Amino acid sequence: MRVFCALVWRECFERRLLLLASAFLGIVPLLMPWMPGNAHIEPKDLSLAVMVVLTLLFGGLTLVILGSTIVGRDLSEDRLGFYFSRPISSWILWLSRIVAAYVLLCISLFLLVMPTLVGDFGLLVERFSSRRSGHAVPLLGFNEVYSIRNVWNSLPERPQSGLQLAGLLLVLLVLLVLTHATSTIIRGRNAWVLADLAGLAIVGVLGWSARNLMVQEEAMGALVWSEWLLIPWILMSGLIAGAVQLARGRTDLAGGHHYLSATLWSMLILGALTFNIYARYVASSSLGDLEDTTFVRPSPNDEWLAVGGPVVHRARAEAAFLVDSKSERSWRLGSLGTVYASLKFSTDNSTVAWVRCKSFSVLDCRVWTKDLNDADSPPRLTDVPFESRSEGLAISDDGSRVAYTQTRRLVVYDVSSGHLLAAIDAEQPHEVSFDTVDRIRFQELVDDPNRPRQRIMQLDIASRQKTELGRLPPGLRTFHSPRDGRILFTQINPPGFGLYDSAIGAQIGEVHARGVLPRQSLFLVDGRVVLMFRDEFAASLTVLSRDGAEEFTITGPTAVSGRFGGELSAGRVLVGFNEPLSGETPVLSLGPGLRIGWTTYVLDLETQQLDAIGVGVMPLGSPLGMPSHRLFMASGRTIIRWDPEATDYRTLLGPFRTLREGDLVFDPSANRQG
């Protein structure tokens, strides 16, 4: 230990002028506000900016000098043999050099930044005492992370200021070790440079392909954890390689290069290969790996089911799957975020379409489809590009065409050939749907800052001509638009709602005033509309007639969220409510979610009664039509097919997790309607 400390002290003492230069430069930012021509700039801002520039320039130069001369200078000047003639271990010699260089680098940076930070003591205290929450962002996916939906669900919490400083110091040590390795390779000037280039290429290809795969799967949390593990591995590889260089190569520069390269690239390739294997493991999840379900979307006939959620052992990465409820076969669709926003079933139950992306910063996405009539057919990658950051897909009834919106365009593609059928200019198009295979209905937002209006438009694909069907009055917003041309709209000030018929271009009935706006709506087969409200945590249901008149309102249970499950039979609507636990204060959620505490009710429009028929069960079935069998989430963890009028049910998927405190257990014999 005495020898080690003596070697470190000697190296630091020989480079003491570096510390003096750092101390002098550290004062420069404090003097800049008094320099001529800077009176119009805020002194604190100017000092901070100069400090950052000096730290980057001088700190970077110091890093390069120390890293390249830590051993290389003594090798070039043939002074390293002096140490080997003494009873000094090569490991002690190497570690003393790297520690001395690291101490010099850290002290130099400290002397550069501390005068400015002490001058603004409040900034220093705020930075290192801050406990603001946030998420860690991957360095390799920084330009992608803000373009991915719901990415924050998988990202780990950002470390506190102390851990962030420790991470920065660790990165500096990694850069110092890699600078030494680069200097050794440059000084070697032999054929091993070709091996170094080959090793660099292999590590780059393995690492970048793994990074791209994780970005494609939107597994940013897994990418963050991988980076946190790779940085110590790179440091260990560099330290071991440097030690082997001195232990085996000793004073031979070419021999030291040989041993350093062989050790360094062997370990780095092993790390990159492990990273690549883990990325492929993340991208190869199966339905059985689902840890929980946060997304369920059935086909119109309830025979196919798209489900998704976090998958186990993959750092909260989320995946989506398509399940055939008859055969229980499944296909992986891709990452949940993109599938959730884009997946659509055709109304004839023949096709399902969704989007997968290779890159989000440049939006390199394609449309995928699956033929539901052929259960054995695999998902097919089409030639249809997807170039939109707004809404998802619209698919025709027969699944042959898809459409989507861009910022000021509406585009239509043929699925089988990938040909562009139409591309028209439109003012902020949205709410796109197919009226027929040849006609598309959409809405435009007229860009008037004083009195914005929404126009209901129809596009003839063959002629590429658009026609205005109607125009909502100023201040109204579309809430729900079914296929029959009617539009449920909301009014913000004062809060209200009503119906608009785009077929006649006029409002139906009056605007109904209500203290809150509707949360959900369901258009029934007979033309009536059921609205769901939550006011002061109490749920209520309002029924509108086909002509927009309010028929009745019924008060429901105290609930944190709710969802419609479609019509059980004519005039009988399935409704699910997520009720808080006993003694629990309700907390409003942004969406229905798949949480504990659900109870299913039937709203009878004739008797105007709301009766509970299923405790611990939530309706999942498509709200289109009246299928004879329904899909439900039972006990918050199992997807079942259940006829509420009978006790028989069949488990389709799950259970995905163990029971948690507060889960309502589903018992079909006790839930049968009387």
Side-chain angles (χ1 to χ4, degrees), residues 144 147-148 215-216 218 338 357-363 389:
E144 308 269 3
S147 301
I148 298 177
V215 169
Q216 179 180 332
E218 304 178 24
T338 306
C357 298
K358 291 184 178 180
S359 172
F360 293 90
S361 59
V362 296
L363 209 62
R389 295 189 186 273

Side-chain angles (χ1 to χ4, degrees), residues 435-667:
D435 283 345
T436 66
V437 176
D438 300 315
R439 293 183 183 273
I440 291 179
R441 185 187 301 267
F442 66 99
Q443 296 182 33
E444 287 183 320
L445 181 61
V446 180
D447 196 7
D448 184 350
N450 297 322
R451 295 173 63 84
R453 290 171 174 261
Q454 285 185 306
R455 296 189 301 190
I456 298 93
M457 310 294 294
Q458 189 178 67
L459 169 66
D460 183 275
I461 299 175
S463 64
R464 301 184 182 181
Q465 296 295 319
K466 60 179 183 178
T467 305
E468 182 175 326
L469 301 179
R471 184 176 297 209
L472 289 179
L476 303 184
R477 293 289 184 271
T478 300
F479 186 77
H480 190 168
S481 178
R483 297 172 59 88
D484 63 2
R486 291 179 300 155
I487 296 173
L488 174 65
F489 64 81
T490 58
Q491 176 179 277
I492 305 298
N493 189 19
F497 56 92
L499 290 178
Y500 181 92
D501 192 342
S502 60
I504 61 176
Q507 180 178 316
I508 309 174
E510 61 181 359
V511 176
H512 303 278
R514 184 68 67 89
V516 294
L517 296 176
R519 294 300 185 101
Q520 293 188 50
S521 63
L522 177 67
F523 282 76
L524 306 182
V525 175
D526 62 6
R528 286 184 285 184
V529 186
V530 185
L531 306 178
M532 182 183 297
F533 297 86
R534 285 206 312 274
D535 186 7
E536 295 297 329
F537 309 115
S540 62
L541 300 172
T542 295
V543 179
L544 299 181
S545 65
R546 187 176 182 85
D547 58 5
E550 184 173 337
E551 293 189 356
F552 67 90
T553 296
I554 186 170
T555 301
T558 300
V560 296
S561 56
R563 64 180 296 153
F564 288 113
E567 296 185 72
L568 180 62
S569 57
R572 302 173 68 217
V573 179
L574 285 172
V575 189
F577 289 110
N578 188 2
E579 304 174 32
L581 304 179
S582 177
E584 179 186 18
T585 301
V587 178
L588 291 179
S589 62
L590 298 178
L594 303 182
R595 298 171 50 189
I596 61 176
W598 283 88
T599 300
T600 295
Y601 295 78
V602 167
L603 172 63
D604 193 313
L605 302 185
E606 297 303 321
T607 63
Q608 301 183 10
Q609 296 293 320
L610 184 66
D611 299 317
I613 63 168
V615 176
V617 64
M618 178 185 68
L620 296 175
S622 171
L624 303 175
M626 294 175 291
S628 57
H629 299 284
R630 308 299 311 192
L631 298 177
F632 293 85
M633 174 71 75
S635 305
R637 64 193 190 113
T638 306
I639 297 177
I640 64 173
R641 185 179 293 281
W642 174 52
D643 180 1
E645 311 234 353
T647 58
D648 298 332
Y649 73 96
R650 181 166 70 95
T651 299
L652 299 179
L653 300 173
F656 297 106
R657 56 173 175 80
T658 58
L659 285 172
R660 296 187 293 232
E661 181 182 358
D663 278 330
L664 299 179
V665 180
F666 171 64
D667 182 1

Side-chain angles (χ1 to χ4, degrees), residues 134-139 145 151-152 154-159 220-221 224 228:
H135 295 85
V137 177
L139 298 177
V145 69
V151 68
W152 311 113
S154 63
L155 291 177
E157 291 293 324
R158 183 175 58 196
M220 290 305 185
V224 169
W228 288 354

Side-chain angles (χ1 to χ4, degrees), residues 148-165:
I148 298 177
R149 295 175 183 266
N150 301 324
V151 68
W152 311 113
N153 295 339
S154 63
L155 291 177
E157 291 293 324
R158 183 175 58 196
Q160 297 298 328
S161 299
L163 292 178
Q164 293 182 40
L165 179 60

Side-chain angles (χ1 to χ4, degrees), residues 189-384:
R189 297 173 185 165
N190 53 43
W192 268 94
V193 173
L194 298 178
D196 295 322
L197 294 176
L200 179 63
I202 294 173
V203 170
V205 170
L206 289 174
W208 195 250
S209 62
R211 175 263 181 199
N212 289 340
L213 190 56
M214 285 192 175
V215 169
Q216 179 180 332
E217 295 298 320
E218 304 178 24
M220 290 305 185
L223 185 56
V224 169
W225 284 106
S226 298
E227 289 177 352
W228 288 354
L229 293 175
L230 282 174
I231 290 176
W233 178 260
I234 294 173
L235 174 61
M236 185 174 66
S237 302
L239 290 175
I240 293 177
V244 172
Q245 172 192 2
L246 291 184
R248 304 297 297 274
R250 301 179 72 82
T251 60
D252 183 3
L253 182 61
H257 176 199
H258 167 205
Y259 289 113
L260 180 138
S261 296
T263 306
L264 179 66
W265 294 118
S266 297
M267 296 188 67
L268 290 182
I269 290 175
L270 177 61
L273 182 61
T274 304
F275 179 36
N276 195 278
I277 292 174
Y278 178 68
R280 296 181 183 279
Y281 170 74
V282 170
S284 62
S285 57
S286 63
L287 184 64
D289 294 323
L290 272 181
E291 183 179 3
D292 202 352
T293 51
T294 58
F295 164 74
V296 178
R297 186 171 298 168
S299 64
N301 62 0
D302 284 352
E303 292 184 358
W304 294 82
L305 197 64
V307 297
V311 285
V312 296
H313 308 312
R314 290 166 174 86
R316 298 293 296 175
E318 296 182 318
F321 305 89
L322 180 68
V323 183
D324 181 0
S325 64
K326 292 182 177 179
S327 64
E328 299 185 13
R329 293 181 58 188
S330 64
W331 293 262
R332 194 177 189 278
L333 302 180
S335 57
L336 177 57
T338 306
V339 172
Y340 175 86
S342 63
L343 185 136
K344 292 291 188 302
F345 289 97
S346 62
T347 55
D348 67 351
N349 299 287
S350 65
T351 307
V352 60
W354 69 97
V355 172
R356 295 191 67 175
C357 298
K358 291 184 178 180
S359 172
F360 293 90
S361 59
V362 296
L363 209 62
D364 181 12
C365 306
R366 287 291 185 273
V367 174
W368 288 69
T369 62
K370 169 76 172 70
D371 184 1
L372 302 183
N373 293 325
D374 184 4
D376 295 327
S377 65
R380 183 176 73 90
L381 173 63
T382 70
D383 294 326
V384 178

